[in-house]
Amino acid sequence: MVSSCPVYFLTSIMEKVIVTYPPENQSELESNYDRKSELKAFDDSKSGVKGLVDVGLTKIPRIFIHEQHRLDDNSGSRSRVSNFGIPILDLDGIDKDANLRTDIINKVQHACEKWGFFQVVNHGIPESVLHEMIDGICRFHEQELEVKKQLYSRDYTQKVIYNSNHDLYRSPAASWRDTLSCVLAPDPPSPEELPVVCREILTDFSNKVSKLGVTLFELLSEALGLNPSHLKDIGYTDGLYFLGHYYPACPEPELTWGTSAHSDSSFLTVLLQDQIGGLQVLHENQWVDVSPIPGALVVNLGDMLQLISNDRFISVRHRVLAKDVGPRISAACFFKKLRTHLPPENSFKLYGPIKELLSEENPPKYREVTVEELISHYMKVQNEASALDHFKL
């Protein structure tokens, strides 16, 4: 439904309001609608989706309406969610009991081959740290707008930025979320570059996730039949990228997404979500809820890991529902190489299927690619198809 009330985009620099009144019929709507201007007005406001909610919006602007969402809702596919539950792995004692470790490795292998997703408990990060990280993201997004706006940018060569929808001008429709983005490794920002309201917890949380990442990559290596340090030794744990998402309550959640369906370009993603829920993963052509578990972290494999494992492990599509309650808050840490922050010596490094996994019976399924190639193609097709198909031999 198109709003029957004015839609306000507040642009603080000019201290003016851009008002778009909906026409009375669809043909007039099509002739009068200027998507580019509406996107620019929203972007220039630097107030994000939260800014729309704060001014009391009761209908979402058209730039957020996903036509496919309407089709899915009409066909009932949005409500057809499987009763499957993604695997839950308990990491307690894996370094002390060889039999227990072998059992966990087998479970990791199953999860990576069949799901591409799992949750971990007893992972070594205290619940107090997880709660404080959620609170820290909330503090950042709910602080005074004039303070937050100082970090608003679409220049991804910067290490710390805030904006709404990284693909705002490329995607068919915007999603209902705002994001704090930080490049944390291998060349982290100085403490002064991090937001004051979450500086300490962001540093603490990322350090602990980095340590957990080493453990996860060891388990992945062993699940592939490799030496435990194989993936770490060839540098797959070096890069860490943080996203602090804020999903405000949405007045019309049936018309938009919190995050539209996509796969990750990373090697591995470690996600902390609050207890509101909304994350779903595609499994056997059915959407499965990733139900929040207190103290748990969600782990999913990215496209790069599927490529280097030669399809032994899978990277799967997932999405986040918009909800009429909120805000929903999540913290995602991506173990990945960032094309905008690669050391010069790594700019042309090629990544391909791990040679130890190949044989006459299992030849390479992908050509070698650079990070630049993979991410550039990923950005073009992320909401439509797998970026990996382009690199198949």
Side-chain angles (χ1 to χ4, degrees), residues 95-339:
D95 291 325
K96 299 175 183 177
D97 186 324
N99 291 330
L100 178 60
R101 187 178 184 89
T102 298
D103 181 57
I104 289 296
I105 290 167
N106 290 336
K107 291 179 179 178
V108 168
Q109 180 181 352
H110 172 79
C112 293
E113 291 178 351
K114 303 300 183 183
W115 283 86
F117 260 79
F118 54 93
Q119 297 203 64
V120 292
V121 296
N122 292 317
H123 42 65
I125 303 179
E127 280 199 55
S128 59
V129 172
L130 304 184
H131 291 315
E132 176 59 16
M133 187 69 262
I134 292 293
D135 289 345
I137 297 170
C138 188
R139 287 195 300 271
F140 172 81
H141 287 283
E142 294 184 355
Q143 68 183 318
E144 290 294 325
L145 179 58
E146 291 306 313
V147 177
K148 190 168 60 173
K149 281 166 58 174
Q150 296 173 23
L151 287 175
Y152 196 94
S153 175
R154 296 198 177 275
D155 178 4
Y156 284 91
T157 63
Q158 296 184 38
K159 293 180 181 178
V160 182
I161 63 173
Y162 144 71
N163 63 33
S164 183
N165 287 259
H166 69 91
D167 56 353
L168 182 68
Y169 293 99
R170 296 190 308 271
S171 64
S175 294
W176 199 255
R177 72 175 186 280
D178 300 328
T179 305
L180 170 67
S181 309
C182 305
V183 178
L184 298 175
D187 184 20
S190 65
E192 294 72 27
E193 292 178 87
L194 295 172
V196 174
V197 292
C198 57
R199 179 179 296 164
E200 290 186 12
I201 186 57
L202 184 52
T203 301
D204 186 26
F205 178 72
S206 63
N207 288 339
K208 287 179 168 59
V209 170
S210 294
K211 183 179 178 180
L212 173 62
V214 172
T215 298
L216 293 172
F217 274 103
E218 287 178 351
L219 295 173
L220 292 170
S221 295
E222 292 182 77
L224 288 169
L226 302 169
N227 182 289
S229 64
H230 188 98
L231 295 176
K232 179 179 182 295
D233 289 346
I234 52 183
Y236 294 156
T237 63
D238 293 348
L240 190 66
Y241 184 52
F242 173 91
L243 296 179
H245 291 311
Y246 184 94
Y247 302 84
C250 181
E252 296 181 296
E254 71 280 3
L255 296 181
T256 191
W257 296 108
T259 301
S260 56
H262 67 288
S263 61
D264 292 346
S265 63
S266 56
F267 291 107
L268 191 72
T269 305
V270 176
L271 174 77
L272 166 64
Q273 60 173 341
D274 66 11
Q275 298 303 302
I276 287 181
L279 175 63
Q280 296 181 330
V281 57
L282 189 62
H283 177 68
E284 296 181 357
N285 294 315
Q286 298 181 79
W287 288 104
V288 178
D289 287 325
V290 183
S291 300
I293 299 173
L297 292 168
V298 180
V299 178
N300 70 276
L301 313 187
D303 290 350
M304 189 64 90
L305 193 52
Q306 179 171 332
L307 184 149
I308 65 171
S309 72
N310 208 39
D311 283 353
R312 279 273 302 276
F313 292 168
I314 58 173
S315 170
V316 298
R317 291 169 71 78
H318 48 286
R319 68 189 187 186
V320 177
L321 302 178
K323 292 200 166 193
D324 58 5
V325 295
R328 176 186 185 269
I329 293 170
S330 68
C333 289
F334 301 83
F335 290 88
K336 65 187 295 183
K337 308 287 186 179
L338 293 167
R339 58 178 178 168

